[in-house]
Amino acid sequence: MTNELIAALYVVPTPLGNLADLTRRAEAVLQAVPWVAAEDTRHSAPLLKHLGSAARTLPAHQHNEHEAAARIVDKLQAGEAVALISDAGTPGISDPGARIVAAVRAAGCRVVPLPGPCAATTALSASGLTDEHFLFYGFLPAKGGQRRQALEGLRAQAAALVFYEAPHRVLETVADMASVFGERTLVIARELSKLFETIHALPLSEALAWLQADSNRQRGEFVLMLSGAPAGSDDGEGERVLKLLLAEGLPVKQAAKLAAAISGVGKNALYERALRYREASASELS
Ligand code: SAM
């Protein structure tokens, strides 16, 4: 295993919940680098201690990425290797790291990515979703109006959709998904690589009741995966007309009726959507 490392930024994925998921290469890098840039140095201290790593740590979180990047570039230019880690999983994937990587590359220094744990790909590999493509979205907005608007923007996506969600928001997010997407397959992956790992696939319309039936199903860390828009479900014309009419100030009901007549898309679906647009623009203004 590598003992001498070239001066580069090593992007090192760390386990999601099972220490045995740390790769041998990740272990070797964390043992050999003089510096580890960590999202939370206190959180990562036990891992480094467990590995017998003598690396010094420097903080690299979302509030200091700029300053952390400058420190890291200084070290790389002085010929020292630096490992970048987040609290769990792959740095830069819904975690800090992207700005640091960009700054290091812009400074002409080398970035070496290590393959390893990532909740999105781990969940997808066991989802059974057969869509040819997937779109990794990460976290949706926390506010209801903005979240529904973000989901609306994904309605026509033929790719499977992959979201991260926190336990305290999982019920409202699943409810919003059902109201925006109608019927799809939802796969809920919870507590991956941990004691209470659960991977459950079900029709989206049944998901809220399934989660509510047992509070344990709402605990822990979640990846939510939705099958993509069915072929032939492109109702973009109805949506385009609806938005134009609403922008002209027509009342919701009338806009939906006219958009349905012009585009041939169902009136009820457009009415629901018009209500959500109005709600989203009202919450943007408030
Ligand atoms: N960088 C990480 C990665 O590579 O997956 C993601 C970090 S993000 C801040 C944390 C989110 O990832 C959690 O809220 C959850 O949605 C998802 N996640 C992390 N660990 C997980 C696990 N063991 N099971 C399910 N989801 C997990």
Side-chain angles (χ1 to χ4, degrees), residues 23-130:
T23 68
R24 290 171 63 196
R25 188 171 170 216
E27 184 174 340
V29 167
L30 293 174
Q31 285 168 342
V33 283
W35 290 99
V36 173
E39 179 182 8
D40 179 344
T41 52
R42 277 168 54 184
H43 175 96
S44 296
L47 172 69
L48 296 174
K49 189 166 174 220
H50 171 82
L51 298 176
S53 168
R56 278 169 290 172
T57 54
L58 59 93
H61 45 77
Q62 61 171 336
H63 303 295
N64 80 339
E65 266 193 280
H66 202 68
E67 181 196 322
R71 285 185 71 187
I72 291 168
V73 168
D74 280 351
K75 305 219 176 294
L76 297 174
Q77 287 175 340
E80 293 186 294
V82 181
L84 175 67
I85 60 175
S86 62
D87 288 355
T90 302
I93 307 299
S94 295
D95 258 344
R99 288 190 183 85
I100 290 171
V101 165
V104 166
R105 292 171 61 81
C109 301
R110 185 152 167 208
V111 176
V112 179
L114 272 61
C118 172
T121 50
T122 305
L124 261 172
S125 71
S127 70
L129 291 175
T130 53

Side-chain angles (χ1 to χ4, degrees), residues 13-17 39 86-96 116-121 123 136 139 163-167 189-194 220-224:
T14 53
L16 299 170
E39 179 182 8
S86 62
D87 288 355
T90 302
I93 307 299
S94 295
D95 258 344
C118 172
T121 50
F136 173 67
F139 289 101
F163 301 94
Y164 284 166
E165 195 46 283
R190 188 175 77 86
E191 293 291 85
L192 293 165
S193 76
K194 302 186 199 179
E221 301 197 87
F222 287 87
V223 182
L224 301 174

